């Protein structure tokens, strides 16, 4: 056979979890043609030279909804081997949207996912419906994208400003069901909802999805059940599952796979991951497909008090975080406000739903980059250490530094996924899905794109918690199957030729840096990768050694219902 692309001399890790083998991969018309010892002619031949040849990674939890309109590669996910990204998560999406309501829809995405509004304001929203949005994307893509129907966007589309005030009426619920049906008929991969009580809009009000009753969520899920297609994703699903079994009940009622955030280790509740795993074990034994996502990444964030997410939801602190820098400075100098902050986040006299900090957060927040020369000795010290050394209270020690350095002090916080023993068990737990890069979100706090290269480097090569074959399966077949993408995730004849070539001995995420490459002069955190030789999408080389070849071979991936209706 004559091939369009022939990859020779690879260590083929096919995504199944079976042992790797030395061989070749032939590609024709965007699909895998053959595997083995191949000798036919090819338009292009790549000598893999013993490097791993694997299915392209499926980046299953992203927020590239806006970024994809100006960045068809959804950087930096493909730099880490991703050939498919999935967005519209956590109920947040940019479609459907009524004329004149574009900025409000963008605000929900902006504040929850920390994407600056001045950047989102540059997006020309020339669509209204979900099908129109999907068709717009399909014209200009580097990677493949799958989109979920965001409950918050749907609720706002149907209810207007009342979406954050009350329950839906019967007619409104029927209208929402029709919107979901239309999105699924266009091929959307499923529905996303949210139970995360830490998700607010810029005005400090919970996003629309959080105003929905369980009955509303189940009614929207019924559309997926009736059509026999799609997955359901939930932000904040862990608490909802642990406190009332919502994720399992939703899966059982609809017959659809539910994936939710997340199984992880946190210093806030040290044994929660064990209890969560036991719960998932119980539901899985009952044949229920409700699976948490988990991440190989240590969850860290760098920030200044000009732009901080940590204390969202705290009654006194929340409005200060939304205020101007001058107003922040005045508040942080005010002894009365400091006393209230102490009561709320040190003494914990007020309950904060879905708090973004532990009870002893000051032991897990470090000074990363002091501004003034006199304060350089504080670098690497926690707020708790500084308070003890200076003989001050936690809030006074923290805010004295913040005010002295005019909100410019760089801080680092790390409370999640820091226990290696717990992480080894979480990442190898078969009823959890590895992923959760959050690509495209929290762009000025951390990268996250490198979850795949971190799994392959830290957890496979260095810590040996799983084999290379197991890790590749976690990044490919497991994720594709959970998200209802059945023509990818394996190297098999007839399946799509999404392929990554990497060196198992050198692959890793590289240090983060700042890059000013967003519209309107916006900046973000850049996270490159080492050891990724090529990222191939639908049989075409998208990236070589991290550099874009100029091709745009990506497509919008559509659900099984759509494929059955449009099969030639």
């Amino acid at each position: 056979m004559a091939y369009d692309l022939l990859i020779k001399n690879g260590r083929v890790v096919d995504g199944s979890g079976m042992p790797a083998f030395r061989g070749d991969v032939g590609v024709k018309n965007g699909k895998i043609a053959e595997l083995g010892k191949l000798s036919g002619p090819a338009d292009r031949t790549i000598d893999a030279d013993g490097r791993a040849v694997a299915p392209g990674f499926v980046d299953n939890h992203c927020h590239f909804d806006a970024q994809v309109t100006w960045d068809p590669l959804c950087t930096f996910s493909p730099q880490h081997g991703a050939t498919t990204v999935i967005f519209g998560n956590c109920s947040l999406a940019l479609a459907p949207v009524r004329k004149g309501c574009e900025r409000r829809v963008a605000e929900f995405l902006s504040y929850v996912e920390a994407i600056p509004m001045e950047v989102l304001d540059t997006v020309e929203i020339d669509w209204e419906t979900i099908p129109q949005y999907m068709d717009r994307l399909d014209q200009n893509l580097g990677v493949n994208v799958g989109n979920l129907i965001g409950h918050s966007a749907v609720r706002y589309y149907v209810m207007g400003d009342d979406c954050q005030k009350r329950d839906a009426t019967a007619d409104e619920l029927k209208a929402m069901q029709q919107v979901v049906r239309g999105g699924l008929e266009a091929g959307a991969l499923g529905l996303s909802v949210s139970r995360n009580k830490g998700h607010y809009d810029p005005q400090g009000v919970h996003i629309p999805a959080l105003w929905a009753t369980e009955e509303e969520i189940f009614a929207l899920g019924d559309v997926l059940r009736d059509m026999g297609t799609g997955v359901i994703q939930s932000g904040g699903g862990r608490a909802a599952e642990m406190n009332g079994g919502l994720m399992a009940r939703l899966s059982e009622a609809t017959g659809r796979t539910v994936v939710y955030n997340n199984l992880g280790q946190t210093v806030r509740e040290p044994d929660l991951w064990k209890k969560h795993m036991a719960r998932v074990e119980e539901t899985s034994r009952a044949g229920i497909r409700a699976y948490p996502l988990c991440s190989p990444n240590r969850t860290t964030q760098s920030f200044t008090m000009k732009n901080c997410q940590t204390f969202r939801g705290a009654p006194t602190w929340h409005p200060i975080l939304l205020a101007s820098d001058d107003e922040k400075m005045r508040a942080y100098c005010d002894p009365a406000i400091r006393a209230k902050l102490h009561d709320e986040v040190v003494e914990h006299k007020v309950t904060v739903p879905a708090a973004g900090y532990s009870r002893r957060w000051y032991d897990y927040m470090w000074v990363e980059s002091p501004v003034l020369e006199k304060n350089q000795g504080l670098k690497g010290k926690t707020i708790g250490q500084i308070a003890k050394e200076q003989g001050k209270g936690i809030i006074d020690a923290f805010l004295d530094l913040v005010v002295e350095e005019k909100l410019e002090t760089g801080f680092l916080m790390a409370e999640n996924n820091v226990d290696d023993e717990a992480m080894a068990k979480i990442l190898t737990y078969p009823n959890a899905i590895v992923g959760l890069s959050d690509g495209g979100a929290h762009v000025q706090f951390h990268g996250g794109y490198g979850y795949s290269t971190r799994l392959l480097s830290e957890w496979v090569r260095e810590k040996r918690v799983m084999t290379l074959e197991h890790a590749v399966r976690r990044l490919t077949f497991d994720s594709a199957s959970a998200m209802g993408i059945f023509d990818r995730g394996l190297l098999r004849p007839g399946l799509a030729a999404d392929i990554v070539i990497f060196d198992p001995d050198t692959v890793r995420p590289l240090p983060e840096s700042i890059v000013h490459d967003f519209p309107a002069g916006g900046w973000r955190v850049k996270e490159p990768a080492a050891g990724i030789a090529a990222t191939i999408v639908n049989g075409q080389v998208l990236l070589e050694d991290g550099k874009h070849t100029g091709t745009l071979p990506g497509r919008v991936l559509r659900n099984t219902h759509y494929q059955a209706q449009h099969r030639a």
Side-chain angles (χ1 to χ4, degrees):
M1 178 185 290
Y3 305 106
D4 298 329
L5 175 65
L6 181 59
I7 303 169
K8 299 280 288 183
N9 306 315
R11 180 182 174 186
V12 180
V13 189
D14 67 7
S16 70
M18 294 178 66
F21 62 92
R22 191 166 183 87
D24 311 326
V25 179
V27 174
K28 183 77 173 177
N29 298 326
K31 297 184 182 298
I32 306 292
E34 295 172 341
L35 297 91
K37 203 70 173 174
L38 309 180
S39 56
D43 293 342
R44 176 167 184 195
T45 299
I46 296 176
D47 186 354
D49 193 26
R51 288 172 291 198
V53 180
F57 306 146
V58 177
D59 198 345
N60 54 33
H61 185 105
C62 303
H63 293 279
F64 289 119
D65 308 69
Q67 184 178 326
V68 69
T69 64
W70 73 78
D71 174 15
L73 271 65
C74 294
T75 53
F76 298 93
S77 282
Q79 280 80 357
H80 294 268
T83 53
T84 293
V85 301
I86 298 172
F87 47 74
N89 287 284
C90 300
S91 86
L92 302 165
L94 293 182
V97 56
R98 296 192 186 280
K99 193 72 176 172
C101 298
E102 297 91 346
R103 196 169 198 274
R104 183 60 176 155
V105 167
E107 279 187 346
F108 300 142
L109 179 66
S110 170
Y111 196 64
V112 173
E113 302 304 337
I115 308 167
M117 268 309 295
E118 55 267 28
V119 172
L120 296 186
D121 279 338
T122 68
V123 178
E124 181 185 356
I125 297 181
D126 54 4
W127 58 83
E128 176 178 345
T129 67
I130 296 166
Q132 289 169 348
Y133 174 66
M134 295 171 68
D135 288 343
R136 157 78 183 273
L137 298 186
D138 220 0
Q139 301 169 23
N140 187 49
L141 288 173
V143 292
N144 301 309
V145 306
N147 68 293
L148 300 168
I149 300 165
H151 187 186
S152 281
V154 172
R155 201 168 207 270
Y156 179 51
Y157 183 78
V158 169
M159 298 178 64
D161 289 339
D162 278 2
C163 69
Q164 292 172 285
K165 295 177 182 177
R166 60 174 173 81
D167 294 350
T169 66
D171 286 344
E172 288 167 337
L173 189 50
K174 287 179 183 177
M176 281 190 262
Q177 288 178 312
Q178 284 302 110
V179 173
V180 172
R181 183 174 295 275
L184 291 171
E185 287 176 344
L189 293 185
L191 169 72
S192 75
V193 299
S194 180
R195 297 286 88 183
N196 189 330
K197 294 180 180 179
H199 283 177
Y200 298 90
D201 68 11
Q203 293 73 38
V205 180
H206 277 135
I207 58 173
L210 294 176
W211 292 79
T213 61
E214 276 196 15
E215 289 74 18
E216 179 176 319
I217 294 172
F218 276 80
L220 299 185
D222 283 345
V223 180
L224 281 71
R225 183 198 63 196
D226 292 344
M227 294 180 66
T229 197
V231 302
I232 300 174
Q233 185 275 337
S234 179
R238 176 175 60 198
E241 177 62 16
M242 296 300 291
N243 296 332
L246 177 60
M247 301 296 102
R249 288 189 286 115
L250 189 56
S251 177
E252 191 170 27
T254 62
R256 310 312 305 167
T257 298
V258 173
V259 295
Y260 61 94
N261 302 1
N262 68 306
L263 175 62
Q265 175 267 331
T266 175
V267 300
R268 300 171 197 173
E269 297 181 73
D271 292 326
L272 179 59
W273 67 273
K274 297 176 185 176
K275 297 174 184 175
H276 188 187
M277 198 178 285
R279 169 62 183 166
V280 177
E281 196 68 29
E282 176 187 351
T283 58
S284 294
R285 279 199 305 269
I288 297 170
R289 297 182 294 171
Y291 305 127
L293 296 175
C294 64
S295 173
N297 289 340
R298 318 287 187 172
T299 307
T300 64
Q301 56 176 312
S302 297
F303 61 95
T304 70
M305 290 307 291
K306 283 188 171 183
N307 184 15
C308 172
Q309 296 182 294
T310 302
F311 302 105
R312 285 181 179 181
T316 301
W317 217 319
H318 195 111
I320 298 172
L321 299 177
L322 299 172
S324 69
D325 289 351
D326 287 343
E327 291 170 322
K328 287 185 178 78
M329 286 288 286
R330 284 195 293 272
Y332 292 150
C333 289
D334 186 333
I337 288 178
R338 288 190 179 197
K340 289 181 180 179
L341 298 180
H342 174 83
D343 286 347
E344 290 175 8
V345 305
V346 178
E347 297 293 336
H348 305 287
K349 294 180 179 178
V350 175
T351 299
V352 178
Y357 51 88
S358 66
R359 296 187 71 83
R360 296 182 62 86
W361 56 269
Y362 40 84
D363 290 332
Y364 302 95
M365 183 185 291
W366 290 264
V367 175
E368 186 175 33
S369 49
V371 175
L372 301 176
E373 184 62 34
K374 66 186 284 289
N375 292 329
Q376 293 307 305
L378 301 179
K379 185 173 182 177
K381 293 184 178 180
T382 68
I383 301 303
Q385 286 177 297
I386 294 169
K388 186 174 182 180
E389 290 175 2
Q390 295 180 350
K392 298 178 179 177
I394 297 296
I395 294 298
D396 284 337
F398 182 36
L399 295 184
D400 281 352
L401 177 61
V402 167
V403 169
E404 183 181 37
E405 300 199 334
K406 296 181 172 55
L407 310 175
E408 298 282 1
T409 313
F411 296 98
L412 174 69
M413 193 166 186
E415 293 189 346
N416 302 323
N417 290 355
V418 293
D419 181 324
D420 282 2
E421 183 178 347
M423 287 296 294
K425 292 178 180 176
I426 288 168
L427 293 173
T428 55
Y429 181 54
N431 294 325
I433 310 297
V434 170
L436 202 62
S437 80
D438 233 12
H442 310 285
V443 294
Q444 296 180 347
F445 294 96
H446 53 75
Y449 316 95
Y451 78 96
S452 54
T453 49
R454 181 162 286 105
L455 182 71
L456 295 168
S457 56
E458 181 176 354
W459 301 104
V460 174
R461 187 174 64 238
E462 297 169 13
K463 294 188 168 66
R464 300 180 183 275
V465 304
M466 67 180 80
T467 65
L468 177 65
E469 290 87 350
H470 186 188
V472 167
R473 175 175 170 135
R474 300 291 273 152
L475 297 170
T476 58
F477 178 73
D478 287 0
S479 201
S481 298
M483 301 308 297
I485 304 169
F486 302 115
D487 59 346
R488 291 158 212 272
L490 286 172
L491 298 183
R492 291 282 188 273
L495 298 189
D498 289 350
I499 303 169
V500 58
I501 304 173
F502 65 92
D503 184 346
D505 295 329
T506 63
V507 66
R508 67 189 188 282
L510 293 173
E512 295 178 346
S513 60
I514 300 299
V515 60
H516 292 262
D517 66 350
F518 265 14
W523 64 272
R524 61 172 170 157
V525 173
K526 175 181 180 179
E527 186 179 29
I532 302 286
T535 305
I536 299 164
V537 176
N538 293 316
Q540 297 185 45
V541 180
L542 177 70
L543 298 177
E544 254 183 305
D545 295 322
K547 296 182 175 60
H548 185 209
T549 62
T551 61
L552 292 174
R555 296 303 305 271
V556 171
L557 303 185
R558 304 189 190 241
N559 63 41
T560 52
H561 175 88
Y562 179 93
Q563 292 178 37
Q565 297 298 313
H566 294 80
R567 191 170 290 131

